[in-house]
């Protein structure tokens, strides 16, 4: 019996990049992992028509006939923590996700990583935006997305965790999909 190879799409910024190798170790060998995540990105860079979105969409569409999509995992937000338009993060994410789902014809599992606790900083605008984005990400669960918590990961170091945290984050992401 031939084994169907399925596609797992990883999108977002550095925390997804740093978790990707651990995610690959946790999923079955018949999964093709497409790593579209790029460190330091903002949600506006993931909008339709922008390079990151279009590049990921093109890779997925070139492969989806041969390798059906199993799930999408997305983690991003800290790049917008200094953005004065942070109040609009959720709407921008929903626009991106809706467009991407339509463009790759996939309406299945879409997991979203929530950025961690507010970083230690004296920048009150960054704290405000960080909280706003974190709250907006939490409310995505009411729009049909599975939220992956980053709470309690070891060695919080603005805006990343130490190396031992990434396997834990990877397990949290992989636990949201049926293997």
């Amino acid at each position: 019996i031939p084994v169907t190879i399925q596609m797992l799409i990883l999108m977002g910024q550095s925390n997804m990049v740093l978790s990707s190798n651990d995610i690959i170790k946790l999923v079955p060998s018949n999964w093709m992992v497409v790593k579209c995540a790029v460190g330091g990105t903002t949600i506006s860079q993931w909008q339709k028509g922008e390079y990151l979105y279009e590049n990921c969409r093109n890779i997925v569409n070139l492969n989806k006939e041969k390798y059906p999509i199993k799930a999408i995992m997305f983690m991003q937000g800290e790049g917008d923590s200094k953005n004065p338009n942070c109040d609009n993060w959720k709407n921008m994410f929903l626009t991106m996700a809706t467009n991407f789902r339509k463009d790759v014809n996939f309406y299945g599992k879409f997991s979203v990583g929530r950025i961690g606790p507010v970083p230690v900083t004296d920048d009150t605008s960054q704290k405000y935006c960080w909280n706003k984005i974190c709250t907006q990400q939490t409310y995505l669960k009411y729009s049909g997305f599975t939220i992956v918590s980053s709470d309690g990961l070891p060695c919080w170091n603005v805006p990343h965790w130490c190396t031992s945290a990434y396997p834990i984050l990877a397990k949290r992401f992989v636990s949201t999909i049926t293997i």
Side-chain angles (χ1 to χ4, degrees):
I1 299 174
V3 176
T4 301
I5 297 175
Q6 299 182 60
M7 188 176 353
L8 174 62
I9 305 161
L10 306 181
M11 301 170 70
Q13 47 65 290
S14 55
N15 288 318
M16 183 56 75
V17 172
L18 294 168
S19 298
S20 64
N21 289 335
D22 292 305
I23 289 171
I24 290 168
K25 292 174 190 173
L26 295 171
V27 298
S29 61
N30 66 318
W31 286 23
M32 179 176 90
V33 178
V34 177
K35 296 196 255 182
C36 296
V38 177
T41 59
T42 62
I43 194 67
S44 62
Q45 293 175 285
W46 284 99
Q47 297 305 303
K48 187 171 185 165
E50 296 295 326
Y51 174 78
L52 295 173
Y53 177 99
E54 297 299 331
N55 185 54
C56 192
R57 179 186 58 89
N58 289 339
I59 292 168
V60 171
N61 281 335
L62 284 171
N63 291 288
K64 73 179 182 182
E65 296 304 320
K66 191 172 182 180
Y67 311 114
I69 302 168
K70 177 69 174 178
I72 299 172
M73 297 178 177
F74 185 90
M75 185 162 193
Q76 190 280 330
E78 51 195 52
D80 291 294
S81 68
K82 292 185 178 183
N83 182 345
N85 297 319
C86 63
D87 291 329
N88 201 29
W89 190 94
K90 178 183 169 191
N91 291 333
M92 291 182 77
F93 171 81
L94 290 172
T95 297
M96 180 278 301
T98 299
N99 287 334
F100 195 81
R101 282 179 158 172
K102 182 179 176 186
D103 287 350
V104 301
N105 194 29
F106 176 73
Y107 299 94
K109 179 61 75 175
F110 200 130
S111 302
V112 179
R114 188 173 57 78
I115 58 176
V118 179
V120 178
T121 177
D122 292 330
D123 184 340
T124 56
S125 65
Q126 183 181 12
K127 285 181 183 180
Y128 169 81
C129 283
W130 195 279
N131 276 326
K132 292 294 286 186
I133 292 166
C134 192
T135 300
Q136 291 173 69
Q137 289 173 336
T138 300
Y139 283 105
L140 288 173
K141 66 183 174 188
Y142 300 114
S143 299
F145 297 91
T146 301
I147 306 305
V148 176
S149 173
S150 59
D151 292 348
L153 293 176
C155 306
W156 176 243
N157 176 355
V158 180
H160 301 104
W161 299 278
C162 63
T163 306
S164 64
Y166 293 105
I168 298 167
L169 186 60
K171 285 179 186 176
R172 291 178 185 180
F173 266 103
V174 171
S175 74
T176 68
I177 52 180
T178 305
I179 296 181

